[in-house]
Amino acid sequence: MNIIRKWHTLRVLKQYPIPFGLWHEVTRHLPLIEARSISERARIRLLATLFIHKKTFSGAAGVTVTPEMAVTVAAQACVAILHLGLNTYDGWREIILYPGAFQIKRDITDENGVVHKQTQGLSGESWSRGPVIFSWQDIKHDSQQPYRGHHVVIHEFAHKLDMLSGRANGMPPLHPDMSLQEWTETLTAAWQGLLHDLATHKHTYMDPYAATNPAEFFAVITEYFFTTPVALKRHNTHLYELLKAYYRQSPPDLEKFHTKHHV
């Protein structure tokens, strides 16, 4: 970090810190944060402070974005980049929050080449070099009661990391000490294995949505990595180890944390 950038970072942290009371009130309801160590929570708070300062939060369809909402999104977005750095979220600025699922109209081409107009209700979407869009209702649900392999904030920000390579294709820029061939072969084999299981009606531990394409596969396995890492490691150790190498961390198991704190 050069001197000017370091000075600017320290200035932001000094002048615009997330108030401790606000931070505590929001994150005590977020297992993704509360399950972390004291030092990790402190680092996440610093990253979230810088994130909120750099990004613009906008409400849609009547939503007024409160500080609590901004912290909820920022804190959990920064879990994924805990050891990657905030610059991995550079190149875009806006987060848009809808009250619930939002409608997107798209042209879909079928197997015969015929174009159909389709309307989808989504809980989240990431645009390349554009905004990240969320349903606030889905954020609240996933954040406070994480379900195995399902966390909309983690999912959409995984797409943002993936897009650093130019497009979302399940191939984010890897660290110099990681093998591109190993990454490609491992993720491709796991994705094709999921496609085969679904085609043959076999039970699969993973959300079938991961079979949509390699980009969605990466986003979904990232959800599993951060919400139920033990299960992911049990089902595919090699896949888990690659994600551990990419994200530079070993997440705590939220299922165990939830059980421990709700007995």
Side-chain angles (χ1 to χ4, degrees):
M1 183 183 294
N2 62 45
I3 295 176
I4 294 177
R5 193 171 192 180
K6 184 177 182 180
W7 174 83
H8 177 71
T9 297
L10 292 174
R11 177 174 171 271
V12 170
L13 293 175
K14 182 178 180 180
Q15 295 189 2
Y16 308 101
I18 298 172
F20 181 76
L22 171 62
W23 176 257
H24 176 71
E25 180 59 30
V26 171
T27 60
R28 71 188 183 92
H29 299 295
L30 306 178
L32 202 65
I33 310 299
E34 281 294 278
R36 295 289 177 151
S37 68
I38 294 175
S39 61
E40 286 177 322
R41 294 201 300 270
R43 178 167 173 76
I44 291 169
R45 184 185 175 200
L46 294 180
L47 288 170
T49 296
L50 297 171
F51 181 97
I52 291 172
H53 185 73
K54 293 182 69 172
K55 304 303 181 186
T56 299
F57 286 80
S58 303
V63 169
T64 298
V65 180
T66 65
E68 290 80 6
M69 295 165 75
V71 170
T72 297
V73 175
Q76 295 180 109
C78 289
V79 167
I81 60 163
L82 182 61
H83 299 295
L84 299 182
L86 194 62
N87 61 346
T88 49
Y89 286 155
D90 283 351
W92 58 277
R93 286 191 60 84
E94 190 175 21
I95 297 99
I96 301 173
L97 301 180
Y98 279 82
F102 52 94
Q103 302 296 313
I104 296 292
K105 295 181 179 179
R106 290 194 175 94
D107 290 336
I108 305 295
T109 304
D110 64 22
E111 63 275 10
N112 298 314
V114 178
V115 178
H116 304 271
K117 291 191 179 298
Q118 185 180 77
T119 300
Q120 292 178 296
L122 301 178
S123 59
E125 184 170 64
S126 295
W127 294 7
S128 180
R129 303 194 70 80
V132 187
I133 309 171
F134 289 109
S135 152
W136 175 243
Q137 181 181 24
D138 286 279
I139 287 179
K140 287 195 299 180
H141 179 271
D142 291 358
S143 299
Q144 296 179 13
Q145 297 179 318
Y147 177 73
R148 173 184 287 195
H150 196 276
H151 199 289
V152 66
V153 173
I154 290 294
H155 184 103
E156 296 307 328
F157 281 99
H159 281 317
K160 279 298 186 184
L161 295 174
D162 192 4
M163 291 172 184
L164 287 172
S165 61
R167 61 192 181 95
N169 59 1
M171 180 58 65
L174 302 180
H175 304 295
D177 61 347
M178 295 183 68
S179 166
L180 177 62
Q181 180 178 350
E182 182 184 21
W183 179 277
T184 302
E185 290 178 352
T186 301
L187 267 70
T188 298
W191 181 55
Q192 291 179 343
L194 175 61
L195 292 176
H196 179 267
D197 288 345
L198 293 174
T200 55
H201 306 290
K202 291 183 179 178
H203 173 73
T204 173
Y205 78 99
M206 189 170 290
D207 186 342
Y209 187 67
T212 304
N213 54 49
E216 296 300 345
F217 183 75
F218 172 69
V220 171
I221 62 174
T222 292
E223 290 179 90
Y224 278 84
F225 179 70
F226 282 106
T227 63
T228 180
V230 173
L232 178 63
K233 185 176 183 179
R234 182 170 62 247
H235 287 281
N236 193 321
T237 301
H238 200 178
L239 194 61
Y240 168 84
E241 292 296 336
L242 280 181
L243 290 177
K244 178 181 174 182
Y246 172 70
Y247 285 107
R248 297 293 201 236
Q249 57 179 294
S250 303
D253 194 359
L254 298 192
E255 292 180 316
K256 180 184 290 186
F257 174 83
H258 184 78
T259 300
K260 180 180 179 182
H261 288 76
H262 292 81
V263 174

